[in-house]
Amino acid sequence: SKTISKCYLQVTGMTCASCVANIERNLRREDGIHSILVALMAGKAEVRYNPAVIHPGAIAELIRELGFGATVMENCGEGDGILELVVRGMTCASCVHKIESTLMKTNGVLYCSVALATNKAHIKYDPEAIGPRDVIQVIKDLGFTTSLVKKDRSASHLDHKQEIRQWKRSFVVSLVFCIPVMGLMIYMMVMDSQLSDAHAHHNMSSEEREALHSSMVLEYQLLPGLSVMNFLSFLLCVPVQVFGGWHFYIQASRALRHNTANMDVLVVLATSIAFLYSFIILLVAMAERAKVNPVTFFDTPPMLFVFISLGRWLEHVAKGKTSEALARLISLQATEATIVTLGPDNVLLSEEQVDVELVQRGDIVKVVPGGKFPVDGRVIEGHSMVDESLITGEAMPVTKKPGSTVIAGSINQNGSLLISATHVGADTTLSQIVKLVEEAQTSKAPIQQFADKLSGYFVPFIVAVSVVTLFAWIIIGFVDFEIVEKYFLGYSQSISEAEVVVRFAFQASITVLCIACPCSLGLA
């Protein structure tokens, strides 16, 4: 008997099924080549050849002569099949040993491990020599019942609905409370400018006096040091800080636990400090019974949360779109296959329904009209039209006759076909497409990697700048108080210089933190 070796080649430049047919047809004619199987999506050819006549380098050269790129793949273990089974009926370690030793003796099984605790068996096999049904049969013959580990076909890990919901909620809550806060703020600004105008021109109309009076209502103190404006801002800010910022707090705490500082940390830092500082300043003002209302930052957290939760919401909506496409692709896969045994002259001897994962290469599969093709294969018998639009985008049905190739996931229309399975399991075109889309989703664009790297440095940098600002202003204040006095308007004369300086420094450093936050929206 001649020895037969197997090699794998990476083939580039194939665009459609006719390229595959071209390569297979031409190479089959060559001396020393037994069989060749080309997978279009994976860009891989599996060749069985006689090493006495031809070597893999020469085979690659033959493919290159046809106008494609071809390189020999070193790791030939690529073609190993992997099988996960649930085995019932094992009682002790001797059962485990019995199964393992019997399987290892079986031709074509490369590796096998059985776990008694979880009732699971993990088996690696050579698809050329043996298939999953044979392995299951061996275990059944030993007196155990066995079944496939059920794969999660629903692709639930791709579902972004929950995240979309939570960020949308976060955005809406922040928005609802942000609008009145913004309104108050703009109103105050307009009034302030009118006030300063009024001081410049003493002749005022009665309407302007009215307007001024209403702005005074906002400045009116409910308690000494607590103005209506600050009280309203505080009431509007609390729900945002709690409900709008809930997910940010969770994610920031996770990040800090892993010693990283991401955008969430910056957002949480800025909003919490702004909120707490404003709250404490209010308490201090009330304790001092201050005549002048302190400057608070209650408008900051709602506005930040609005921008950033909007960014997150949009991001998840976009992710959900791609995932939806993937889930649809996964749902195209057939779940069962009808395997038939043929006698002489292609007479049907028997047929059985099996799980798609149990179809072996070389099996004869029957596909009835209206059925999905469970695996990639070649037609042996029958004529039909096949709708391949889900895979190729070709709207018209394609004629299939003996010798034509069929693609898993496409739909058989009018005739019953018998096909011989060429690519099964993870090697089918559809599985490859799913794999490519999944990989494309998990890999990042270079600009995104750059942005992530930047934000890694960005957060510590901003925090550092903010701290530097704080101390710089404290030092400036104690060295030359007039500078602070010039910029810090409206502080009451009743409090000490030191306190004025500290308050001003704090205001400056919080401003740095808060201004840096919308950058995270840009990065998002």
Side-chain angles (χ1 to χ4, degrees):
S1 68
K2 289 187 294 202
T3 52
I4 294 214
S5 303
K6 186 164 76 167
C7 69
Y8 290 92
L9 303 155
Q10 188 77 47
V11 183
T12 54
M14 297 189 292
T15 52
C16 62
S18 67
C19 302
V20 173
N22 185 6
I23 295 175
E24 290 185 355
R25 193 177 58 243
N26 281 294
L27 285 193
R28 277 205 194 95
R29 296 190 194 131
E30 300 292 335
D31 286 340
I33 291 184
H34 258 261
S35 68
I36 169 164
L37 249 183
V38 182
L40 177 67
M41 290 304 297
K44 218 161 72 175
E46 181 185 313
V47 185
R48 301 179 68 194
Y49 62 101
N50 180 354
V53 181
I54 197 166
H55 62 93
I59 298 173
E61 192 46 54
L62 287 170
I63 296 178
R64 278 199 288 272
E65 277 168 19
L66 293 172
F68 302 98
T71 48
V72 180
M73 288 162 74
E74 292 306 321
N75 47 347
C76 289
E78 280 281 316
D80 293 349
I82 293 174
L83 188 58
E84 294 267 357
L85 295 173
V86 180
V87 182
R88 302 245 170 252
M90 299 188 291
T91 50
C92 60
S94 70
C95 301
V96 171
H97 177 69
K98 193 160 98 188
I99 295 173
E100 287 187 344
S101 57
T102 314
L103 277 176
M104 289 305 285
K105 278 191 213 119
T106 309
N107 179 30
V109 175
L110 308 171
Y111 162 83
C112 140
S113 90
V114 180
L116 182 62
T118 57
N119 284 343
K120 282 208 179 122
H122 185 82
I123 300 141
K124 267 192 187 154
Y125 61 92
D126 175 10
E128 291 289 315
I130 194 170
R133 286 207 311 291
D134 310 330
V135 174
I136 287 178
Q137 196 52 52
V138 170
I139 299 176
K140 278 199 178 131
D141 293 344
L142 293 173
F144 302 98
T145 56
T146 174
S147 61
L148 279 170
V149 174
K150 275 280 165 265
K151 283 210 184 72
D152 174 25
R153 284 211 187 87
S154 64
S156 55
H157 63 287
L158 300 172
D159 196 15
H160 286 270
K161 285 197 179 69
Q162 195 215 333
E163 283 101 333
I164 293 175
R165 265 206 311 276
Q166 80 181 27
W167 287 115
K168 186 178 176 181
R169 199 178 318 136
S170 181
F171 170 64
V172 170
V173 168
S174 310
L175 188 64
V176 165
F177 290 101
C178 172
I179 291 170
V181 170
M182 294 270 306
L184 283 174
M185 211 178 92
I186 292 166
Y187 183 72
M188 286 297 288
M189 280 177 175
V190 173
M191 285 308 152
D192 277 351
S193 68
Q194 285 200 350
L195 253 181
S196 49
D197 286 356
H199 286 305
H201 314 285
H202 293 291
N203 47 350
M204 284 172 70
S205 66
S206 55
E207 295 98 73
E208 284 173 331
R209 278 206 182 81
E210 278 300 305
L212 271 182
H213 192 69
S214 60
S215 90
M216 294 305 183
V217 172
L218 285 179
E219 287 292 346
Y220 172 75
Q221 297 193 335
L222 297 169
L223 298 166
L226 177 64
S227 67
V228 177
M229 167 83 184
N230 279 339
F231 182 61
L232 285 177
S233 304
F234 171 71
L235 287 185
L236 291 169
C237 187
V238 172
V240 178
Q241 200 64 29
V242 178
F243 299 110
W246 184 249
H247 304 297
F248 290 102
Y249 279 101
I250 293 173
Q251 286 179 311
S253 65
R254 279 186 199 147
L256 288 174
R257 244 178 278 150
H258 295 122
N259 297 331
T260 58
N262 61 2
M263 274 304 161
D264 300 308
V265 175
L266 187 60
V267 173
V268 164
L269 257 182
T271 53
S272 308
I273 292 176
F275 181 75
L276 288 173
Y277 169 79
S278 307
F279 185 56
I280 291 164
I281 277 284
L282 266 191
L283 293 181
V284 170
M286 286 162 68
E288 288 175 349
R289 299 180 166 279
K291 292 282 174 287
V292 176
N293 294 313
V295 176
T296 55
F297 288 99
F298 287 126
D299 51 348
T300 303
M303 288 166 68
L304 278 185
F305 282 138
V306 162
F307 284 127
I308 290 155
S309 51
L310 174 66
R312 293 293 162 85
W313 177 35
L314 294 176
E315 181 186 1
H316 280 289
V317 167
K319 276 189 192 161
K321 289 266 193 301
T322 17
S323 306
E324 222 171 275
L326 240 190
R328 263 200 225 114
L329 267 181
I330 292 174
S331 70
L332 295 181
Q333 291 164 327
T335 49
E336 299 220 306
T338 309
I339 292 179
V340 296
T341 357
L342 295 180
D345 297 335
N346 284 358
V347 182
L348 280 187
L349 295 180
S350 70
E351 56 176 72
E352 59 165 332
Q353 285 276 57
V354 298
D355 231 359
V356 153
E357 276 108 24
L358 292 182
V359 179
Q360 294 164 195
R361 192 183 282 180
D363 277 341
I364 309 297
V365 180
K366 176 177 156 194
V367 184
V368 294
K372 271 183 192 172
F373 289 96
V375 290
D376 291 3
R378 202 169 272 112
V379 179
I380 306 176
E381 195 180 293
H383 285 260
S384 181
M385 303 294 281
V386 174
D387 175 8
E388 292 183 348
S389 60
L390 299 166
I391 313 286
T392 60
E394 168 63 73
M396 298 299 289
V398 186
T399 313
K400 298 289 177 193
K401 52 185 194 295
S404 318
T405 52
V406 292
I407 311 174
S410 53
I411 296 166
N412 185 13
Q413 290 193 334
N414 45 16
S416 192
L417 292 177
L418 290 182
I419 64 165
S420 158
T422 54
H423 294 99
V424 296
D427 292 335
T428 63
T429 309
L430 191 57
S431 306
Q432 291 292 332
I433 294 176
V434 170
K435 192 169 131 221
L436 288 172
V437 177
E438 268 184 332
E439 276 170 11
Q441 252 197 308
T442 47
S443 63
K444 287 182 176 170
I447 182 78
Q448 206 176 342
Q449 281 169 335
F450 178 64
D452 288 355
K453 203 157 119 194
L454 259 187
S455 67
Y457 299 122
F458 183 72
V459 180
F461 171 71
I462 293 297
V463 174
V465 171
S466 166
V467 172
V468 169
T469 308
L470 178 69
F471 287 113
W473 275 111
I474 290 178
I475 293 164
I476 291 173
F478 284 117
V479 172
D480 185 355
F481 181 66
E482 276 156 26
I483 298 180
V484 173
E485 207 169 18
K486 191 168 98 197
Y487 291 113
F488 193 26
L489 303 166
Y491 74 93
S492 72
Q493 306 297 331
S494 59
I495 53 177
S496 68
E497 284 193 9
E499 202 173 330
V500 173
V501 171
V502 172
R503 276 195 196 182
F504 182 68
F506 245 96
Q507 235 170 293
S509 70
I510 290 177
T511 308
V512 170
L513 262 190
C514 295
I515 287 174
C517 274
C519 298
S520 60
L521 182 70
L523 282 172

